[in-house]
């Protein structure tokens, strides 16, 4: 049997089990063999039943002598199974296993059975109990050699697949593997292999180890293999980047000198150091890929400006991308203030606002063909397949996949939804559908193109981050949710307007994950041409239910009375614009898709990198000649993570704060102390300082209850009267948000009551007090970010973390912030506290998820793997030497799996 063999070809695995395995992503023999145990149980000999409680979970075996079901509090149920030791003695105590409200357990356990249980014994009254233990029923003694009398593997839980079944399947596969090591090639350099260990041995031993030592040795081997594969991929990315055609993007520095002279402060030593590093990298002819790390408030913006000035002095454009609208606007304001006196031309480009009118088509090709609307019709491109004639009689065009294979950060999907026959979309209904799609554009997703046909809809969509969870990881809107809301929203409205009832939409939908720029472009064109290609619209006819971002921008302009008279005028404007084209373009990540607006891009600065993914970065650098890239992050991360998540970047670190900074004092207070806290806030406001109140609405995306926000605000206005407050939250339109920030900046308002939209980068030096409500609900990194909004001027600053009846862990967590202001220390502590298994946004890194290694516990192995991979690529960048050629597989395979989106 070969390891690539699909499990479906093995006739001894039942179909329903195949399905359960597939749910885990296990389709081949190899997948199964690398489905590693979560832990092992020592079942060589079971200990005697305990007579005391313990904090360490233990594994016991016994016979069920009694079961009972008890009710409490109305509908709640407790199922109890009493176990007796196999060889009881006079002192043996029975063990009571209890499950609360777990209906199915009751069906699985019966008197007379033998059970193996794993859990913590607790003293409850006089009885020794185990609550919700993991358990396994011993059915017959035949299989005892697999499941007992050994170190037994326990796998990650699976619905529809018991431990016993999974274990038996894996055991049989291992025994049938022929030759014993078939296809299990060891892909590790010799210095990482200890003794005569190889992959085949390790795989066997990780499932069914002979001893704990054998298990540990196997695990180390497998972790090293996994880490080495990851670091090989990173090293190859790095090598690829360095051999791309780049250019030197560095001017003489005169402009930079002028800028530095005009600054009201001296650079810190650390700023000077990193500017020098960046300058060297800009001057080099191979592309720069650099991470600028620095705590909040360490002055990264100035460094970014310095880099951009060097690039524009050399005649290039620079792009400055911020993660949010507010930040883009803020950078725009700061840069104009500092750079316009030096004669630098700056432009703002965000989804919501573009400071220069003039269309920004999505793709160069569309621009070359003149106005986008005209180009859709008969422009010589062979008509792509259309929905109508592709649909085969049996409707096979639709696939039943409800969830696409890849829900990935920043993935783009081409989606098609059909109406359920015999319904079709009247012109009015089509407008409603288009409006529904536009409604969440730039809110829950970015919409690139849509066409609404009489019986189906096509659109191209990129789900956006929904929120940060408590740990600060980014969570994206699931495609299924987005599509569902679009469907139900429009169906409801259409049924109302047309006075109909019943289903409007087909349940099925067809979605395609967009894999590359070319793919994107094709889908884009396809969607825009669909009405004409399919004959729904005549060649020279206008079809109003086709939408692009251009159309939206054009509509807005029409609305504002800046109508374009003709395409030729628009062209003329555009050409004129080019002559005095902006040298620095500031924007949100929408910039990524407007490549065309760059004519000579030399440097891209990405602020607050954790909001961007590798794929997005790749999108910018895919062009040749490749621009230099500087990514900045204020979320310091532990070193082990840096070498994985940012492993392909060079790192510059600002490790010093500007000297004029007042101290930040952080204090955790219980809600009951609110009275004292308020009077403290007042003394600060009376001293003319300004205040941020961060209120606890964490999830802003979903149905933010505007009323609740308003109530919160009223409350605070009352509390702080007569000082002037304003309210800030994510639902406020960008322009208004900007005005609110402006009033706060200028001191017109004293206090800003805000959600976490304030999070990154906002800079108002006179705001020195911050109160965070329900602080225990936030992650440490996020709290540190928030706190970074104060302490930006010379005055002493105060951060008050308000909590209510917090558990032990929460107070330990918050105490970290009382103890230190250093972001790196916060990051380390955060990681320490959060425990293993948390991968801190590895999804964003575009790296495969780890199957066995643990970034934290196995940090030392990661260092070894990295050193080995780096050494190999330094000596042999193309993996040409005979002993290295085998490692090419790691890159090819991995890329096939994880990098398709940036190909
Ligand atoms: P961050 O690193 O968090 O992005 P910013 O670049 O926004 O920090 O800088 C924070 C504040 O510090 C800004 O008001 C900036 O003008 C100021 N600043 C930057 N460098 C210095 C310096 N060397 N000395 C004094 N103030 C500085
Ligand atoms: Mg910043």
């Amino acid at each position: 049997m070969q390891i690539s063999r699909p499990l479906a070809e093995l006739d001894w695995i039942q179909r329903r089990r195949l399905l359960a395995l597939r749910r885990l992503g296990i389709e081949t023999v190899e997948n199964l063999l690398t489905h590693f145990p979560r832990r092992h149980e020592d079942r060589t000999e079971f200990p005697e039943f305990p007579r005391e409680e313990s904090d360490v979970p233990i594994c016991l075996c016994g016979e069920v002598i009694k079961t009972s079901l008890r009710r409490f509090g109305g509908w709640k149920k407790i199922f109890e199974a009493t176990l007796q030791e196999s060889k009881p003695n006079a002192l043996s105590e029975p063990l009571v296993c209890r499950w609360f409200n777990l209906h199915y357990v009751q069906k699985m356990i019966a008197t007379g059975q033998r059970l193996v249980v794993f859990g913590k014994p607790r003293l409850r009254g006089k009885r020794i109990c185990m609550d919700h233990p993991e358990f396994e029923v011993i059915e017959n003694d035949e299989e005892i050699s697999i499941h007992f009398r050994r170190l037994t593997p326990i796998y990650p839980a699976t619905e529809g697949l018991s431990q016993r079944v999974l274990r038996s399947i894996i055991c049989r596969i291992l025994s049938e593997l022929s030759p014993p090591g078939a296809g299990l090639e060891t892909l590790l350099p010799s210095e990482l292999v200890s003794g005569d260990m190889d992959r085949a041995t390790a795989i066997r031993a990780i499932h069914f180890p002979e001893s704990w030592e054998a298990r540990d040795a196997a695990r180390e081997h497998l972790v090293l293999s996994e880490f080495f594969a990851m670091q090989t991929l990173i090293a190859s990315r790095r090598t690829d980047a360095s051999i791309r055609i780049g250019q030197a993007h560095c001017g003489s520095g005169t402009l930079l000198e002028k800028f530095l002279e005009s600054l009201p402060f001296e650079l810190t030593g650390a700023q000077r150091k990193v500017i020098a590093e960046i300058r060297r990298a800009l001057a080099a002819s191979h592309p720069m890929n650099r991470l600028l790390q620095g705590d909040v408030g360490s002055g990264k913006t100035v460094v970014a400006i310095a880099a951009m000035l060097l690039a524009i002095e050399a005649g290039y454009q620079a792009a400055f991308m911020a993660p949010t609208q507010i930040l883009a606007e803020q950078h725009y304001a700061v840069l104009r203030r500092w750079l316009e006196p030096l004669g630098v031309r700056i432009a703002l480009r965000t989804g919501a606002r573009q400071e220069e009118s003039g269309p920004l088509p999505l793709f160069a090709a569309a621009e070359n063909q003149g106005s986008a609307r005209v180009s859709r019709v008969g422009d010589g491109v062979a008509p792509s397949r259309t929905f109508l004639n592709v649909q085969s009689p049996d409707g096979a065009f639709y696939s039943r996949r409800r969830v696409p294979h890849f829900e990935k950060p920043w993935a783009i999907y081409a989606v098609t939804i059909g109406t359920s026959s015999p319904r079709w979309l009247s012109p009015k209904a089509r407008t409603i559908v288009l409006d529904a799609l536009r409604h969440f554009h730039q809110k829950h997703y970015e919409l690139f193109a849509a066409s609404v046909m009489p019986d189906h809809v096509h659109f191209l969509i990129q789900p956006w981050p929904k929120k940060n969870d408590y740990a600060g990881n980014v969570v994206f809107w699931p495609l299924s949710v987005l599509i569902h809301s679009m469907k139900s929203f429009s169906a409801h409205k259409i049924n109302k307007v047309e006075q109909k009832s019943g289903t409007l939409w087909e349940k099925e939908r067809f979605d395609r994950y967009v894999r590359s720029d070319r793919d994107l472009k094709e889908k884009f064109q396809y969607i825009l041409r669909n009405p004409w290609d399919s004959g729904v619209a005549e060649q020279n006819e206008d079809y109003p239910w086709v939408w692009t971002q251009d159309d939206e921008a054009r509509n807005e302009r029409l609305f504002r009375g800046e109508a374009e008279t003709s395409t030729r005028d628009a062209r003329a404007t555009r050409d004129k614009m080019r002559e005095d084209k902006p040298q620095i373009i500031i924007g949100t990540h929408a910039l990524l898709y407007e490549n065309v607006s760059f004519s000579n891009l030399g440097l891209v600065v990405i602020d607050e990198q954790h909001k961007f993914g590798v794929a997005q970065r790749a999108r910018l650098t895919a062009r040749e000649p490749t621009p230099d890239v500087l990514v900045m992050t204020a979320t310091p991360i532990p070193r082990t993570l840096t070498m994985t998540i940012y492993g392909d970047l060079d790192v510059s670190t600002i490790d010093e704060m500007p000297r004029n900074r007042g101290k930040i004092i952080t204090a955790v207070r219980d809600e009951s102390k609110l009275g004292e806290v308020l009077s403290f806030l007042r003394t600060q406001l009376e001293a003319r300082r300004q205040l941020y109140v961060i209120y606890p609405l964490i999830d802003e995306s979903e149905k933010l209850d505007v009323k609740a926000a308003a109530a919160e605000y009223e409350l605070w206005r009352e509390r702080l009267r007569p000082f002037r407050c304003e309210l800030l939250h994510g639902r406020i339109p960008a322009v208004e948000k900007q005005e609110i920030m402006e009033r706060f900046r200028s001191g017109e308002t004293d206090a800003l009551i805000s959600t976490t939209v304030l999070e990154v980068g906002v800079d108002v030096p006179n705001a020195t007090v911050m109160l965070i409500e329900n602080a225990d609900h936030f992650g440490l990194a996020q709290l540190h970010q928030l706190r970074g909004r104060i302490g930006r001027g010379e005055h002493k600053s105060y951060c008050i973390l308000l909590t209510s009846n917090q558990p032990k862990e929460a107070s330990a967590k918050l105490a970290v912030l009382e103890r230190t202001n250093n972001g790196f220390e916060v990051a380390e502590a955060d990681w320490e506290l959060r425990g293993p298994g948390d991968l801190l946004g590895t999804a964003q890194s575009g790296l495969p998820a780890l199957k066995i290694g643990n970034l934290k516990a196995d940090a030392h192995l990661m260092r070894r793997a990295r050193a080995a991979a780096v050494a190999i690529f330094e000596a042999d960048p193309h993996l040409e030497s005979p002993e290295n050629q085998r490692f090419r597989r790691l890159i090819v395979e991995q890329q096939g799996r994880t990098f398709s989106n940036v190909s």
Side-chain angles (χ1 to χ4, degrees):
M1 183 168 32
Q2 278 299 320
I3 56 161
S4 56
R5 186 129 182 235
L7 294 173
E9 288 179 10
L10 307 178
D11 49 14
W12 50 270
I13 304 182
Q14 290 170 19
R15 212 182 121 65
R16 65 189 167 92
R17 304 218 153 121
L18 285 176
L19 291 178
L21 285 167
R22 195 170 296 160
R23 268 203 298 279
L24 290 177
I26 299 176
E27 311 228 16
T28 65
V29 169
E30 182 171 26
N31 294 157
L32 193 62
L33 293 180
T34 55
H35 185 65
F36 297 119
R38 187 159 50 88
R39 60 184 178 85
H40 292 79
E41 274 177 7
D42 188 348
R43 296 184 180 174
T44 40
E45 226 171 309
F46 293 101
E48 287 181 3
F49 277 22
R51 266 168 250 147
E52 275 157 25
E53 56 180 10
S54 103
D55 273 332
V56 192
I58 52 174
C59 181
L60 301 170
C61 178
E63 183 178 331
V64 181
I65 52 171
K66 196 173 96 187
T67 64
S68 70
L69 186 67
R70 290 196 292 146
R71 278 167 203 282
F72 67 103
W75 55 274
K76 294 179 214 158
K77 290 181 197 160
I78 305 181
F79 175 67
E80 290 189 353
T82 308
L83 302 195
Q84 189 171 57
E85 250 172 292
S86 331
K87 294 187 214 103
N89 59 42
L91 293 175
S92 303
E93 298 257 6
L95 175 80
V96 181
C97 298
R98 311 193 298 181
W99 289 269
F100 301 86
N101 284 321
L102 280 182
H103 195 59
Y104 69 92
V105 174
Q106 176 194 348
K107 292 193 200 148
M108 296 167 70
I109 296 178
T111 316
Q113 279 174 336
R114 271 200 292 155
L115 284 193
V116 176
V117 293
F118 179 78
K120 293 179 191 171
R122 293 281 178 209
L123 202 56
R124 296 276 180 265
K126 290 206 166 118
R127 307 187 302 174
I128 298 279
C129 292
M130 244 186 215
D131 289 341
H132 286 247
E134 290 180 25
F135 70 97
E136 206 172 303
V137 179
I138 306 177
E139 270 153 12
N140 54 36
D141 286 349
E142 212 171 274
E143 288 185 320
I144 218 152
S145 61
I146 301 178
H147 307 290
F148 300 96
R149 311 239 168 90
R150 61 156 81 231
L151 297 181
T152 311
I154 307 293
Y155 294 95
T158 324
E159 207 182 308
L161 206 60
S162 69
Q163 290 288 338
R164 157 187 306 281
V165 169
L166 194 55
R167 205 179 286 135
S168 305
I169 296 179
I170 291 178
C171 187
R172 177 150 174 196
I173 291 216
L174 279 172
S175 71
E176 289 185 2
L177 220 51
S178 61
L184 290 167
E185 192 188 346
T186 307
L187 285 174
L188 270 182
S190 54
E191 72 261 32
L192 293 184
V193 180
S194 63
D196 52 1
M197 179 65 87
D198 58 26
R199 188 168 178 78
T201 315
I203 293 265
R204 272 169 207 283
I206 198 70
H207 291 288
F208 297 102
E210 303 274 320
S211 63
W212 291 112
E213 292 73 41
R215 200 272 315 254
D216 293 344
R219 186 175 179 281
E220 179 173 301
H221 181 89
L222 295 168
V223 171
L224 276 171
S225 305
E226 183 169 51
F227 285 176
F228 178 72
M230 182 186 242
Q231 291 296 345
T232 301
L233 185 58
I234 292 170
S236 81
R237 259 191 214 167
R238 216 184 157 99
T239 311
D240 278 358
S242 69
I243 56 174
R244 294 182 76 97
I245 301 168
Q247 279 167 336
H249 299 117
C250 192
S252 67
T254 329
L255 192 56
L256 176 59
E257 286 307 314
K258 268 205 262 171
F259 165 64
L260 294 181
E261 273 162 28
S262 73
L263 278 180
F265 48 75
E266 289 276 305
L267 291 186
T268 61
Q271 283 170 320
R272 249 193 287 275
K273 176 193 73 179
V274 298
I275 290 176
E277 285 167 3
I278 292 167
R279 189 169 181 164
R280 269 196 298 279
L282 286 171
S285 65
H286 62 82
M288 171 173 89
N289 265 303
R290 186 165 285 266
L291 174 72
L292 177 59
Q293 248 189 326
D295 211 341
V296 273
S298 61
K300 291 185 294 295
T301 316
V302 172
V303 174
I305 294 174
M308 292 192 289
L309 290 178
L310 288 168
I312 66 179
E313 202 184 5
Y316 295 95
Q317 271 189 322
F320 194 3
M321 310 206 318
T324 65
Q325 180 80 26
I326 290 194
L327 279 184
E329 299 265 2
Q330 178 183 288
H331 284 322
Y332 183 56
V334 169
L335 264 67
R336 281 182 62 170
R337 194 168 70 228
W338 280 348
L339 298 185
E340 276 183 352
L342 304 178
V344 177
R345 293 186 301 276
I346 303 166
L348 178 73
R349 295 269 192 284
T350 68
R353 201 157 83 84
Q354 306 190 344
E355 181 98 352
E356 283 158 333
S357 48
L360 294 169
L362 188 53
F363 300 106
E367 184 184 52
N368 293 339
Q369 290 152 5
S371 126
R373 175 57 53 89
V374 173
S375 72
R376 284 168 207 153
V377 191
D379 58 0
V381 179
S384 37
R385 301 191 306 170
T386 70
F387 184 83
L388 285 180
N389 53 28
V390 162
Q391 189 173 24
S392 59
D394 55 15
F397 184 73
Y398 282 124
S399 111
R400 276 213 174 260
R401 293 170 308 155
R402 267 156 309 153
V403 187
H405 316 282
F406 311 92
E407 288 225 9
K408 297 195 170 191
W410 304 112
I412 298 176
Y413 303 92
V415 181
T416 303
I417 310 172
T419 58
S420 89
S421 86
R423 295 290 298 266
W424 71 287
L425 301 167
S426 67
K428 211 182 254 164
R430 280 174 243 171
T431 306
I432 290 172
V433 173
L434 203 52
D435 281 346
L437 281 169
R438 288 170 52 206
H439 184 71
F440 293 110
H441 170 54
Q442 304 275 4
K443 292 195 190 91
H444 293 178
Y445 50 72
E446 175 142 13
L447 184 66
F448 298 109
S451 58
V452 185
M453 309 285 285
D455 65 349
H456 66 278
V457 186
H458 296 293
F459 52 96
L460 200 54
I461 182 181
Q462 179 184 45
W464 273 13
K466 186 169 163 192
K467 59 176 182 191
N468 289 345
D469 62 16
Y470 295 162
N473 296 325
V474 181
V475 177
F476 283 73
W477 282 102
L479 187 58
S480 51
V481 170
L482 295 178
I483 291 179
H484 176 77
S485 40
M486 184 293 244
K487 276 177 160 180
S488 61
F489 182 80
S490 54
H492 182 75
K493 217 160 166 183
I494 291 170
N495 277 346
K496 205 159 132 197
V497 169
E498 300 187 344
Q499 301 194 329
K500 285 191 182 139
S501 61
T503 24
L504 172 65
W505 298 109
E506 192 83 63
K507 267 210 200 67
E508 300 148 8
R509 64 163 206 262
F510 182 73
D511 51 58
R512 263 280 274 105
Y513 172 66
V514 175
R515 295 177 167 279
S516 63
D517 272 355
R518 216 180 89 213
D519 196 12
L520 182 63
K521 199 160 168 173
E522 272 168 16
K523 293 282 172 315
F524 184 74
Q525 295 283 341
Y526 171 80
I527 291 175
L528 297 189
R529 300 168 49 91
N530 198 245
W532 291 273
D533 285 347
S534 63
V536 166
E538 288 296 323
Q539 283 300 299
N540 292 314
E541 188 189 359
D542 191 27
Y543 187 81
W545 300 283
V546 173
W547 182 96
T548 66
Q549 296 187 356
D550 276 355
D551 297 328
E552 190 79 21
R554 191 163 17 237
N555 286 343
E556 270 174 21
R557 250 175 283 123
L558 281 172
F559 184 70
R560 292 201 304 257
E562 303 163 29
E564 285 167 31
T565 37
S566 75
T567 316
R568 194 181 300 144
D569 278 4
R571 271 239 184 119
T573 325
R574 206 182 303 152
D575 289 345
K576 188 161 149 290
M577 206 179 84
R578 237 173 233 156
E579 280 159 26
D580 46 15
K581 64 178 163 44
Q583 294 163 297
I584 295 180
I585 301 178
I586 300 167
T588 50
H589 79 273
L591 265 186
L592 286 176
Y593 305 99
E594 291 163 358
N595 293 346
V596 155
S597 58
F598 305 119
S599 58
N600 194 13
L601 188 59
L603 172 68
V604 180
V605 180
I606 305 175
D607 197 9
E608 310 296 350
Q609 154 78 12
H610 59 294
K611 308 254 158 146
F612 289 92
V614 166
Q616 293 199 309
R617 226 191 308 140
R619 184 174 268 288
L620 276 167
T621 51
R623 36 174 62 231
E624 294 219 315
T626 313
D628 285 334
V629 177
L630 180 66
V631 301
M632 308 204 290
T633 175
T635 314
I637 53 175
R639 249 190 60 78
T640 348
L641 283 180
T642 315
M643 66 195 184
T644 50
I645 298 181
Y646 297 130
D648 56 335
L649 303 177
D650 296 313
V651 179
S652 288
T653 306
I654 306 184
D655 49 9
E656 177 187 356
M657 287 298 215
R659 234 175 304 135
N660 60 350
R661 289 297 151 79
K663 262 178 92 155
I664 303 182
I665 295 169
T666 303
V668 181
R669 289 287 178 271
D670 192 81
E671 219 135 60
S672 58
K673 298 269 164 54
L674 185 64
E676 287 164 41
V677 170
L678 281 178
S679 58
F680 172 76
L681 296 183
R682 288 178 158 280
T683 58
Q684 289 295 310
L685 289 170
E686 272 152 21
R688 301 299 307 140
R689 301 285 88 77
Q690 286 165 287
L691 162 71
Y692 295 112
V693 174
I694 309 296
Y695 69 83
L697 268 177
I698 295 171
D699 183 3
E700 287 209 59
S701 40
E702 195 73 77
K703 258 217 294 204
L704 173 135
D705 193 352
V706 178
K707 255 205 215 136
E712 193 78 26
Y713 170 58
E714 272 313 311
L715 195 64
W716 276 101
R717 246 173 49 152
E718 258 333 291
R719 285 171 179 166
L720 297 175
R721 199 175 288 275
F723 295 100
R724 285 148 304 182
C725 303
E726 281 210 80
L727 176 69
L728 188 71
H729 60 71
R731 283 291 180 91
I732 295 176
V735 181
E736 249 172 76
K737 253 189 229 165
Q738 187 54 25
E739 287 165 6
I740 293 170
M741 281 314 301
E742 223 21 79
R743 281 194 291 273
F744 187 67
R745 208 185 299 279
S746 68
E748 231 177 281
T749 29
D750 302 297
L752 207 55
I753 318 300
S754 170
T755 59
T756 54
V757 290
L758 199 66
E759 189 179 349
V760 270
V762 169
D763 185 27
V764 181
N766 191 47
T768 57
V769 191
M770 173 173 284
L771 177 84
I772 304 179
E773 284 194 77
N774 279 19
D776 38 324
H777 285 196
F778 298 99
L780 273 187
Q782 197 179 11
L783 287 170
H784 180 69
Q785 275 286 328
L786 285 166
R787 177 171 67 173
R789 301 309 112 222
I790 57 173
R792 301 194 145 233
E794 71 228 271
H795 299 286
K796 207 176 200 173
S797 293
Y798 302 90
C799 176
I800 301 154
L801 306 174
L802 217 51
T803 65
S804 52
N805 55 33
Q806 33 169 334
K808 242 190 333 195
E809 313 88 72
S811 55
K813 179 175 97 175
L814 296 180
V816 172
L817 295 172
E818 284 184 313
R819 203 165 58 228
T820 178
N821 276 321
N822 179 317
F824 289 92
E825 283 173 30
V826 172
E828 292 286 349
D830 193 17
W831 217 32
E832 233 17 83
L833 286 169
R834 259 192 274 155
D838 192 313
L839 295 189
L840 190 111
T842 27
Q844 296 265 322
S845 69
L847 293 168
L850 293 174
K851 284 186 157 177
I852 186 165
N854 177 308
L855 289 180
K856 187 151 114 195
D858 302 318
H860 61 294
L861 297 180
M862 182 65 92
R863 274 191 285 277
R864 283 174 61 194
R866 178 168 176 82
V870 167
I872 288 173
F873 274 85
E874 261 167 21
D876 183 11
H878 303 288
L879 302 180
E880 280 157 341
S881 80
E883 72 271 21
N884 290 338
Q885 281 184 16
R886 62 199 173 118
F887 299 136
R888 288 184 185 177
R889 265 189 57 193
L890 292 173
I891 301 165
V892 177
E893 279 178 18
Q894 302 265 19
Q895 277 180 339
R897 199 156 65 222
T898 66
F899 261 157
S900 45
N901 52 337
V902 293
S903 61

